[in-house]
Amino acid sequence: MSVQDLNAIARQMVAKGKGILAADESTGTIKKRFDTIDVESTEDTRRAYRELLFTTEGAEKYISGVILYDETLRQSASDGRRLADILKEKGILPGIKVDMGAKDLAFAPGEKVTEGLDGLRERLAEYVTLGAKFTKWRAVISISKHGKPSDYCLDANAHALARYAALAQEAGLVPIVEPEILMDGDHSIERSAVVTEKTLRRVFAALYDHRVSLEGMVLKPNMVLSGYDAPERAGVEEVAKATVETFLRAVPAAVPGIVFLSGGQTEEESTAHLNAMNRLGPLPWELSFSYGRALQASALQAWRGNPDNVAAAQAAYLHRAHMNSLARSGEYDPSMEK
Ligand code: 13P
């Protein structure tokens, strides 16, 4: 596949007014989400929940792609159609999480490196046959007062992200490159900005070294926030300004789009932040969303595993998708919340 073809898919992923649903929770993570609504996590409950999301009528107006977990890409809906085909029929691109999770980094207490490179070429080839159009790999970076993140951790993760991205492009799949800096801790927004810029610079240096085409990828970063336990947390305008300034310094304009993760923000916070950033435009890249929790929290609460609640859960998901779609062009207002 040519760079032009990869670029066309990347641009479809960040099309105006649209964003990406991250529904690629691993079996461990979805269990944690289901625990909050007292639903047992089984292959069947996971299928029912994902089917509910993917069959939501009208979601395709706001959602360009969905990131799936391996199990989901292979699963079929109650009517026998493959879940990935349901998305395709709506014009939504199926994507696949291909990393094997963040593991302890040797000789770096409290730091992680993401695994999953061994055998990745073969797994990507299979994902192509299963209909995937793009992929995701998440690196996890922590901030502490002293020592974290270490240069060692940043370089190990940048290297893995770049090797992954090159293999994805070789297979004809658009890589979502996700270096997530966790906002746990009491650090200031200024510290978030410094660490985010340093991380992004290292990631883009590695991508260049590994011959990755920036035109054929999508970046999925954290927003620049105050730590969740910081004594005085920055407000919406300050977050928008710090995030956009950081990305203008560190993300080349050749990247078609930046899709933010929500990372533990509430649904309304993550929408307000995205909206405020898009009001600071024009910007060199599309600024969009690839939320997991911030697109699903209300839907999950509305569902609670009860088939009678499917319509209410779909309405909650559609509402969040709509609000975030408006935030893509700075047209969201908190008074639009129900
Ligand atoms: P959140 O939006 O819940 O952070 O999830 C996005 C994601 O895909 C993290 O890898």
Side-chain angles (χ1 to χ4, degrees):
M1 191 178 280
S2 69
V3 175
Q4 286 77 10
D5 293 334
L6 289 168
N7 177 252
I9 297 169
R11 283 189 291 111
Q12 208 180 323
M13 290 162 68
V14 294
K16 297 264 181 240
K18 293 188 186 182
I20 295 169
L21 167 66
D24 60 328
E25 298 85 0
S26 63
T27 310
T29 302
I30 196 75
K31 181 182 180 309
K32 278 193 233 158
R33 304 279 185 268
F34 280 10
D35 282 348
T36 67
I37 52 165
D38 288 327
V39 170
E40 195 192 345
S41 178
T42 65
E43 195 175 331
D44 202 50
T45 54
R46 294 191 291 271
R47 181 205 47 75
Y49 176 61
R50 267 82 184 236
E51 178 172 347
L52 166 174
L53 293 174
F54 303 169
T55 55
T56 298
E57 249 173 76
E60 62 278 7
K61 278 190 281 183
Y62 315 124
I63 300 293
S64 57
V66 177
I67 317 173
L68 307 172
Y69 186 60
D70 182 275
E71 174 186 88
T72 319
L73 186 59
R74 300 171 193 280
Q75 254 172 346
S76 294
S78 41
D79 66 3
R81 284 184 297 163
R82 286 186 54 230
L83 289 174
D85 288 337
I86 291 177
L87 295 172
K88 262 195 264 176
E89 284 163 24
K90 288 176 174 288
I92 296 177
L93 299 166
I96 178 78
K97 168 192 173 77
V98 302
D99 68 68
M100 306 292 269
K103 306 288 161 61
D104 289 341
L105 178 63
F107 301 123
E111 297 198 292
K112 303 274 183 191
V113 66
T114 303
E115 294 190 348
L117 290 170
D118 288 357
L120 181 56
R121 177 178 276 128
E122 292 72 24
R123 288 198 290 130
L124 291 169
E126 189 197 6
Y127 289 142
V128 169
T129 67
L130 291 171
K133 299 293 174 200
F134 66 94
T135 56
K136 180 189 111 171
W137 179 289
R138 172 174 177 255
V140 186
I141 314 287
S142 295
I143 296 182
S144 72
K145 278 204 181 61
H146 304 289
K148 285 197 283 180
S150 65
D151 289 353
Y152 163 40
C153 171
L154 293 183
D155 282 340
N157 278 292
H159 179 265
L161 278 166
R163 275 202 61 203
Y164 139 77
L167 282 162
Q169 290 191 340
E170 180 193 75
L173 295 161
V174 170
I176 294 184
V177 173
E178 181 179 6
E180 175 175 6
I181 295 153
L182 299 176
M183 294 298 147
D184 300 323
D186 62 0
H187 55 267
S188 64
I189 187 169
E190 289 80 11
R191 176 111 170 94
S192 277
V194 167
V195 174
T196 302
E197 180 174 345
K198 182 171 183 178
T199 302
L200 291 171
R201 285 183 182 279
R202 286 181 184 232
V203 167
F204 280 100
L207 291 168
Y208 176 74
D209 288 345
H210 290 242
R211 308 176 182 180
V212 172
S213 302
L214 300 185
E215 293 81 357
M217 63 162 276
V218 171
L219 180 71
K220 176 164 174 169
N222 52 284
M223 296 181 193
V224 175
L225 309 176
S226 313
Y228 285 125
D229 299 325
E232 279 180 40
R233 303 198 62 221
V236 172
E237 296 308 320
E238 204 183 335
V239 165
K241 196 165 163 285
T243 305
V244 166
E245 276 177 8
T246 302
F247 285 79
L248 283 172
R249 289 196 194 116
V251 182
V255 173
I258 298 175
V259 296
F260 289 99
L261 58 94
S262 59
Q265 300 175 64
T266 66
E267 291 176 324
E268 293 183 22
E269 268 172 350
S270 40
T271 307
H273 285 148
L274 180 64
N275 189 64
M277 283 188 251
N278 275 307
R279 284 198 186 166
L280 297 174
L283 298 166
W285 354 254
E286 294 295 324
L287 274 196
S288 184
F289 57 93
S290 174
Y291 298 155
R293 284 161 285 180
L295 276 171
Q296 297 183 52
S298 301
L300 203 56
Q301 286 302 323
W303 178 55
R304 300 195 147 269
N306 184 344
D308 294 343
N309 296 336
V310 164
Q314 290 182 327
Y317 164 54
L318 193 65
H319 175 68
R320 286 289 15 118
H322 183 202
M323 295 299 106
N324 286 302
S325 166
L326 292 171
R328 289 279 281 100
S329 51
E331 289 169 72
Y332 166 76
D333 188 290
S335 67
M336 294 164 170
E337 298 291 350
K338 285 181 279 194

